[in-house]
Amino acid sequence: MEIEKPLENWNVQARKGVLELCILNALRGERLYGYDIVKRLRVLDGLVIGEGTIYPILSRFRAQGLVAVELEESSGGPARKYYKLTTRGGVVLARMNAAWDLIEAGVKSLRKGDL
């Protein structure tokens, strides 16, 4: 149907930015293994993510200096990569959360007809 194509594209684009925000928020104050991040985010309705989705984002965040990676030996196999926010990542996250709050408030006002 003609309506489905634009809606599908909008959903994909909206999820991309929100997913990045959610990954950084999941790491706030914690050091997490990649799969732990996936498990946390899977409970969020509408996000729809898999392991293959977050690892490229984490890799990009590492290159941007937003997260640090620590390898930890595992008794059940290869060493695990644990991710944690860097100081720079914390600053970026705070700014992203502030921007999100403004966007969310604006959209709510529009939906209520306040604007």
Side-chain angles (χ1 to χ4, degrees):
M1 184 177 249
E2 281 186 37
I3 294 172
E4 296 303 318
K5 184 81 172 159
L7 181 59
E8 182 180 316
N9 185 51
W10 180 82
N11 278 330
V12 168
Q13 295 304 316
R15 280 189 200 125
K16 283 182 181 180
V18 171
L19 179 58
E20 292 180 2
L21 178 64
C22 290
I23 290 170
L24 291 174
N25 271 302
L27 289 170
R28 188 179 53 215
E30 295 196 56
R31 184 184 82 118
L32 295 172
Y33 177 60
Y35 187 65
D36 290 334
I37 298 168
V38 171
K39 288 191 299 188
R40 283 191 180 192
L41 300 183
R42 278 190 179 152
V43 301
L44 301 176
D45 289 335
L47 205 50
V48 188
I49 66 150
E51 289 177 67
T53 307
I54 69 155
Y55 289 109
I57 295 170
L58 288 167
S59 206
R60 184 167 34 85
F61 284 168
R62 182 180 184 192
Q64 294 170 339
L66 305 182
V67 299
V69 176
E70 296 174 352
L71 284 175
E72 189 172 294
E73 293 300 319
S74 172
S75 59
R80 290 184 166 191
K81 284 184 181 179
Y82 284 86
Y83 299 87
K84 67 178 185 175
L85 275 183
T86 61
T87 301
R88 174 184 164 94
V91 170
V92 168
L93 175 59
R95 290 181 181 169
M96 287 174 74
N97 279 328
W100 175 259
D101 290 343
L102 288 173
I103 292 166
E104 181 182 32
V107 170
K108 281 183 179 179
S109 291
L110 281 170
R111 290 182 68 190
K112 288 181 183 176
D114 293 342
L115 297 177

